[in-house]
Amino acid sequence: MIIKILTLFPEMFYGFLESSIIKRAQENGLLEVEYINIRDYASNKHKKVDDYPYGGGAGMVMTPQPIFDAYEYAIKDFDKGVKARTIYLTPKGTTFNQKIAVDFSAEKQLVFICGHYEGIDQRVIDTIVTDEISIGDFVLTGGELPTAIMIDAITRLLPGVLGSTESYEDESFYSGLLEYPHYTRPEDYNGLKVPKVLLSGNHKEIDRWRRKSSLEITLQRRPDLIDESKLTKLDKKLINEINNERQLK
Protein backbone atom coordinates (compact mmCIF):
# COMPACT_ATOMS: atom_id res chain seq x y z
CA MET A 1 0.00 0.00 0.00
CA ILE A 2 1.15 3.54 -0.79
CA ILE A 3 0.10 6.35 1.56
CA LYS A 4 0.67 10.03 0.85
CA ILE A 5 0.13 12.49 3.73
CA LEU A 6 -0.54 16.16 2.98
CA THR A 7 0.35 18.12 6.12
CA LEU A 8 1.82 21.34 7.47
CA PHE A 9 3.76 19.40 10.11
CA PRO A 10 5.41 16.27 8.64
CA GLU A 11 7.72 16.03 11.65
CA MET A 12 4.74 14.98 13.78
CA PHE A 13 4.79 11.58 12.04
CA TYR A 14 8.49 10.77 12.16
CA GLY A 15 8.71 8.95 15.49
CA PHE A 16 5.36 7.23 15.20
CA LEU A 17 5.64 5.95 11.65
CA GLU A 18 9.28 4.95 12.00
CA SER A 19 8.78 2.56 14.92
CA SER A 20 7.43 -0.89 15.74
CA ILE A 21 5.08 -2.72 13.37
CA ILE A 22 4.64 0.18 10.94
CA LYS A 23 8.39 0.53 10.56
CA ARG A 24 8.71 -3.22 9.81
CA ALA A 25 5.87 -3.00 7.29
CA GLN A 26 7.81 -0.34 5.41
CA GLU A 27 11.10 -2.25 5.64
CA ASN A 28 9.37 -5.36 4.26
CA GLY A 29 7.91 -3.48 1.31
CA LEU A 30 4.30 -3.84 2.49
CA LEU A 31 3.82 -0.11 3.08
CA GLU A 32 5.22 3.06 1.54
CA VAL A 33 4.60 6.40 3.25
CA GLU A 34 5.48 9.87 1.93
CA TYR A 35 5.00 13.12 3.82
CA ILE A 36 4.20 16.12 1.65
CA ASN A 37 4.48 19.55 3.23
CA ILE A 38 1.59 21.64 1.93
CA ARG A 39 3.50 24.85 2.67
CA ASP A 40 6.16 23.89 0.11
CA TYR A 41 3.52 24.31 -2.62
CA ALA A 42 2.31 27.78 -1.66
CA SER A 43 2.83 30.07 -4.65
CA ASN A 44 3.10 33.31 -2.67
CA LYS A 45 6.42 34.80 -1.53
CA HIS A 46 5.84 34.21 2.18
CA LYS A 47 4.55 30.63 1.80
CA LYS A 48 1.26 31.61 3.40
CA VAL A 49 -1.32 28.80 3.40
CA ASP A 50 -4.29 30.39 5.19
CA ASP A 51 -6.57 33.39 4.84
CA TYR A 52 -9.66 35.00 6.36
CA PRO A 53 -13.00 33.30 5.58
CA TYR A 54 -15.42 35.01 3.22
CA GLY A 55 -18.45 36.21 5.13
CA GLY A 56 -16.47 36.88 8.26
CA GLY A 57 -16.10 34.79 11.38
CA ALA A 58 -13.38 33.70 13.76
CA GLY A 59 -10.23 31.94 12.69
CA MET A 60 -8.50 31.30 9.39
CA VAL A 61 -9.10 28.80 6.58
CA MET A 62 -6.49 26.88 4.60
CA THR A 63 -6.42 28.18 1.03
CA PRO A 64 -7.06 25.88 -1.94
CA GLN A 65 -4.00 26.51 -4.17
CA PRO A 66 -1.28 24.87 -2.01
CA ILE A 67 -3.48 21.87 -1.25
CA PHE A 68 -4.45 21.30 -4.88
CA ASP A 69 -0.82 21.53 -6.01
CA ALA A 70 0.42 19.26 -3.22
CA TYR A 71 -2.30 16.77 -4.16
CA GLU A 72 -1.30 16.78 -7.83
CA TYR A 73 2.26 15.99 -6.79
CA ALA A 74 1.04 13.22 -4.46
CA ILE A 75 -0.91 11.37 -7.14
CA LYS A 76 1.44 11.86 -10.09
CA ASP A 77 2.68 8.27 -9.91
CA PHE A 78 -0.64 6.67 -8.89
CA ASP A 79 -2.56 4.31 -11.15
CA LYS A 80 -4.06 6.30 -13.98
CA GLY A 81 -7.81 6.24 -14.50
CA VAL A 82 -8.55 5.44 -10.85
CA LYS A 83 -9.54 8.28 -8.52
CA ALA A 84 -7.31 8.17 -5.49
CA ARG A 85 -9.11 7.46 -2.22
CA THR A 86 -8.54 10.79 -0.49
CA ILE A 87 -9.35 11.19 3.20
CA TYR A 88 -9.91 14.50 4.93
CA LEU A 89 -9.88 14.42 8.73
CA THR A 90 -12.71 16.56 10.12
CA PRO A 91 -15.09 16.50 13.12
CA LYS A 92 -17.92 16.65 10.56
CA GLY A 93 -16.91 13.30 9.04
CA THR A 94 -18.15 9.76 9.46
CA THR A 95 -16.85 8.26 12.70
CA PHE A 96 -13.94 5.94 12.07
CA ASN A 97 -14.37 2.30 13.10
CA GLN A 98 -12.98 -1.16 12.38
CA LYS A 99 -15.28 -1.70 9.41
CA ILE A 100 -13.94 1.46 7.76
CA ALA A 101 -10.37 0.39 8.57
CA VAL A 102 -10.98 -2.92 6.78
CA ASP A 103 -12.45 -1.06 3.80
CA PHE A 104 -9.43 1.24 3.51
CA SER A 105 -6.98 -1.64 3.95
CA ALA A 106 -8.19 -3.06 0.62
CA GLU A 107 -6.95 0.03 -1.25
CA LYS A 108 -3.59 0.14 -3.03
CA GLN A 109 -3.12 3.87 -2.54
CA LEU A 110 -4.46 6.42 -0.05
CA VAL A 111 -4.08 10.17 0.38
CA PHE A 112 -4.63 11.87 3.76
CA ILE A 113 -5.23 15.62 4.05
CA CYS A 114 -4.48 17.06 7.48
CA GLY A 115 -6.37 20.29 8.04
CA HIS A 116 -5.63 23.10 10.49
CA TYR A 117 -7.17 26.36 11.70
CA GLU A 118 -10.91 26.39 10.90
CA GLY A 119 -10.42 23.75 8.21
CA ILE A 120 -9.81 23.81 4.46
CA ASP A 121 -11.54 25.59 1.60
CA GLN A 122 -14.72 23.71 0.67
CA ARG A 123 -13.69 23.61 -2.99
CA VAL A 124 -10.90 21.20 -2.08
CA ILE A 125 -13.40 18.91 -0.35
CA ASP A 126 -15.85 19.10 -3.25
CA THR A 127 -13.18 18.36 -5.86
CA ILE A 128 -10.69 15.81 -4.53
CA VAL A 129 -11.88 14.43 -1.17
CA THR A 130 -13.63 11.05 -1.34
CA ASP A 131 -14.04 10.43 2.41
CA GLU A 132 -14.53 12.81 5.32
CA ILE A 133 -13.60 10.99 8.53
CA SER A 134 -13.72 11.82 12.24
CA ILE A 135 -12.11 9.78 15.02
CA GLY A 136 -14.63 10.92 17.65
CA ASP A 137 -16.86 13.65 19.00
CA PHE A 138 -14.12 16.08 19.97
CA VAL A 139 -11.93 18.68 18.26
CA LEU A 140 -8.14 18.59 17.88
CA THR A 141 -5.75 21.27 16.64
CA GLY A 142 -5.06 19.43 13.39
CA GLY A 143 -5.48 16.26 11.39
CA GLU A 144 -2.06 14.72 12.07
CA LEU A 145 -2.97 12.68 15.17
CA PRO A 146 -6.19 11.27 13.63
CA THR A 147 -4.23 10.39 10.48
CA ALA A 148 -1.60 8.55 12.52
CA ILE A 149 -4.32 6.60 14.35
CA MET A 150 -6.00 5.61 11.10
CA ILE A 151 -2.73 4.54 9.47
CA ASP A 152 -1.97 2.32 12.46
CA ALA A 153 -5.42 0.69 12.33
CA ILE A 154 -5.24 0.20 8.54
CA THR A 155 -1.63 -0.99 8.29
CA ARG A 156 -2.01 -3.84 10.79
CA LEU A 157 -4.75 -5.29 8.54
CA LEU A 158 -2.50 -5.53 5.48
CA PRO A 159 -1.57 -9.11 4.55
CA GLY A 160 1.77 -10.06 6.06
CA VAL A 161 2.06 -7.15 8.50
CA LEU A 162 1.06 -9.09 11.61
CA GLY A 163 2.08 -12.47 10.22
CA SER A 164 -1.31 -14.12 10.75
CA THR A 165 -4.91 -13.03 10.31
CA GLU A 166 -5.59 -14.70 13.66
CA SER A 167 -3.68 -11.82 15.25
CA TYR A 168 -6.54 -9.42 14.54
CA GLU A 169 -9.62 -11.54 13.78
CA ASP A 170 -10.31 -12.13 17.47
CA GLU A 171 -9.75 -8.50 18.45
CA SER A 172 -12.38 -6.07 19.64
CA PHE A 173 -14.75 -4.83 16.92
CA TYR A 174 -13.42 -7.14 14.17
CA SER A 175 -16.07 -9.78 14.96
CA GLY A 176 -18.57 -7.19 16.14
CA LEU A 177 -17.88 -7.83 19.85
CA LEU A 178 -15.36 -6.61 22.39
CA GLU A 179 -12.42 -8.94 22.93
CA TYR A 180 -12.22 -11.55 25.70
CA PRO A 181 -9.60 -11.23 28.52
CA HIS A 182 -6.04 -12.52 28.08
CA TYR A 183 -3.76 -14.20 30.64
CA THR A 184 -0.13 -15.32 30.61
CA ARG A 185 2.45 -16.76 32.99
CA PRO A 186 2.62 -17.12 35.93
CA GLU A 187 -0.47 -19.19 36.62
CA ASP A 188 -0.73 -17.71 40.12
CA TYR A 189 0.50 -14.16 40.79
CA ASN A 190 0.16 -13.13 44.43
CA GLY A 191 -3.05 -15.14 44.74
CA LEU A 192 -4.48 -13.83 41.45
CA LYS A 193 -5.11 -16.96 39.39
CA VAL A 194 -5.71 -17.71 35.73
CA PRO A 195 -9.20 -19.16 35.05
CA LYS A 196 -8.99 -22.95 35.23
CA VAL A 197 -10.63 -23.50 31.85
CA LEU A 198 -7.64 -21.85 30.12
CA LEU A 199 -5.33 -24.42 31.69
CA SER A 200 -7.51 -27.41 30.80
CA GLY A 201 -6.27 -28.02 27.26
CA ASN A 202 -9.92 -28.47 26.23
CA HIS A 203 -10.07 -26.19 23.20
CA LYS A 204 -13.84 -26.52 22.79
CA GLU A 205 -14.40 -25.31 26.35
CA ILE A 206 -11.78 -22.60 25.95
CA ASP A 207 -13.52 -21.31 22.79
CA ARG A 208 -16.84 -21.36 24.65
CA TRP A 209 -15.37 -19.42 27.59
CA ARG A 210 -13.84 -16.83 25.29
CA ARG A 211 -17.07 -16.32 23.35
CA LYS A 212 -19.07 -16.01 26.55
CA SER A 213 -16.54 -13.55 27.97
CA SER A 214 -16.72 -11.45 24.79
CA LEU A 215 -20.51 -11.39 24.97
CA GLU A 216 -20.50 -10.50 28.66
CA ILE A 217 -18.00 -7.64 28.28
CA THR A 218 -19.89 -6.30 25.26
CA LEU A 219 -23.22 -6.44 27.09
CA GLN A 220 -21.69 -4.55 30.02
CA ARG A 221 -19.77 -1.89 28.14
CA ARG A 222 -21.11 -1.60 24.59
CA PRO A 223 -24.56 -3.22 24.33
CA ASP A 224 -25.11 -1.16 21.17
CA LEU A 225 -22.69 -3.51 19.38
CA ILE A 226 -24.90 -6.55 19.89
CA ASP A 227 -26.64 -7.36 16.60
CA GLU A 228 -29.46 -9.80 17.38
CA SER A 229 -29.66 -10.91 13.76
CA LYS A 230 -26.05 -12.14 13.81
CA LEU A 231 -26.23 -14.07 17.10
CA THR A 232 -25.89 -17.85 16.82
CA LYS A 233 -27.91 -20.32 18.88
CA LEU A 234 -24.88 -20.73 21.11
CA ASP A 235 -24.58 -16.94 21.53
CA LYS A 236 -28.21 -16.72 22.64
CA LYS A 237 -27.69 -19.61 25.07
CA LEU A 238 -24.60 -17.93 26.50
CA ILE A 239 -26.44 -14.61 26.90
CA ASN A 240 -29.17 -16.43 28.82
CA GLU A 241 -26.49 -17.92 31.07
CA ILE A 242 -24.97 -14.47 31.61
CA ASN A 243 -28.34 -12.94 32.49
CA ASN A 244 -29.15 -15.78 34.89
CA GLU A 245 -25.77 -15.39 36.59
CA ARG A 246 -26.36 -11.66 36.97
CA GLN A 247 -29.67 -12.28 38.70
CA LEU A 248 -27.99 -14.63 41.20
CA LYS A 249 -25.40 -12.04 42.20
Side-chain angles (χ1 to χ4, degrees):
M1 172 180 281
I2 300 174
I3 293 178
K4 304 292 183 81
I5 304 171
L6 276 56
T7 173
L8 294 176
F9 301 98
E11 65 274 12
M12 290 185 66
F13 294 97
Y14 294 164
F16 174 76
L17 294 182
E18 295 175 5
S19 305
S20 189
I21 290 173
I22 296 182
K23 178 182 179 181
R24 292 201 301 271
Q26 294 177 80
E27 290 174 343
N28 294 332
L30 302 173
L31 176 68
E32 179 184 324
V33 180
E34 182 178 1
Y35 319 105
I36 299 167
N37 193 328
I38 296 170
R39 197 177 300 277
D40 291 342
Y41 293 85
S43 59
N44 61 83
K45 182 173 65 174
H46 300 292
K47 296 296 181 181
K48 185 177 172 60
V49 296
D50 62 324
D51 212 329
Y52 295 103
Y54 279 119
M60 306 287 276
V61 177
M62 291 180 67
T63 56
Q65 177 271 315
I67 302 175
F68 275 120
D69 286 0
Y71 175 79
E72 288 302 319
Y73 169 80
I75 66 169
K76 64 182 177 64
D77 295 324
F78 278 6
D79 295 340
K80 305 302 181 185
V82 179
K83 184 175 178 62
R85 197 83 178 262
T86 303
I87 303 156
Y88 172 51
L89 287 306
T90 168
K92 296 185 291 185
T94 302
T95 303
F96 185 63
N97 58 27
Q98 188 69 10
K99 183 177 180 181
I100 295 175
V102 171
D103 180 32
F104 286 144
S105 72
E107 298 290 331
K108 292 183 178 180
Q109 46 206 27
L110 294 173
V111 178
F112 286 87
I113 301 177
C114 304
H116 272 270
Y117 316 118
E118 293 302 308
I120 65 177
D121 190 293
Q122 184 64 35
R123 289 167 289 186
V124 175
I125 298 171
D126 293 341
T127 306
I128 63 177
V129 170
T130 60
D131 301 88
E132 294 183 72
I133 300 292
S134 166
I135 63 165
D137 295 338
F138 49 87
V139 180
L140 299 172
T141 56
E144 283 77 15
L145 290 176
T147 294
I149 288 171
M150 288 185 62
I151 290 174
D152 186 282
I154 293 166
T155 297
R156 63 199 313 278
L157 297 173
L158 300 178
V161 170
L162 294 184
S164 170
T165 56
E166 293 178 2
S167 296
Y168 61 77
E169 286 182 347
D170 287 334
E171 292 176 334
S172 295
F173 305 112
Y174 192 88
S175 66
L177 301 176
L178 300 183
E179 192 175 10
Y180 52 79
H182 294 279
Y183 297 86
T184 188
R185 294 177 177 81
E187 177 183 335
D188 186 329
Y189 179 75
N190 292 343
L192 302 172
K193 298 181 179 181
V194 174
K196 289 184 178 180
V197 64
L198 299 179
L199 308 173
S200 68
N202 187 328
H203 295 292
K204 183 176 180 180
E205 286 302 311
I206 291 172
D207 288 343
R208 188 181 193 278
W209 179 88
R210 286 175 169 170
R211 186 65 178 181
K212 182 177 179 180
S213 296
S214 288
L215 287 163
E216 186 170 15
I217 292 171
T218 305
L219 286 167
Q220 288 175 346
R221 303 179 186 180
R222 291 292 305 275
D224 56 296
L225 295 177
I226 299 290
D227 186 344
E228 296 285 344
S229 67
K230 294 183 179 180
L231 294 177
T232 65
K233 289 183 179 180
L234 176 59
D235 289 337
K236 294 175 182 178
K237 181 179 179 180
L238 293 173
I239 289 174
N240 285 333
E241 287 183 14
I242 293 166
N243 290 333
N244 290 335
E245 289 167 1
R246 284 180 177 177
Q247 292 174 3
L248 293 174
K249 290 181 178 179

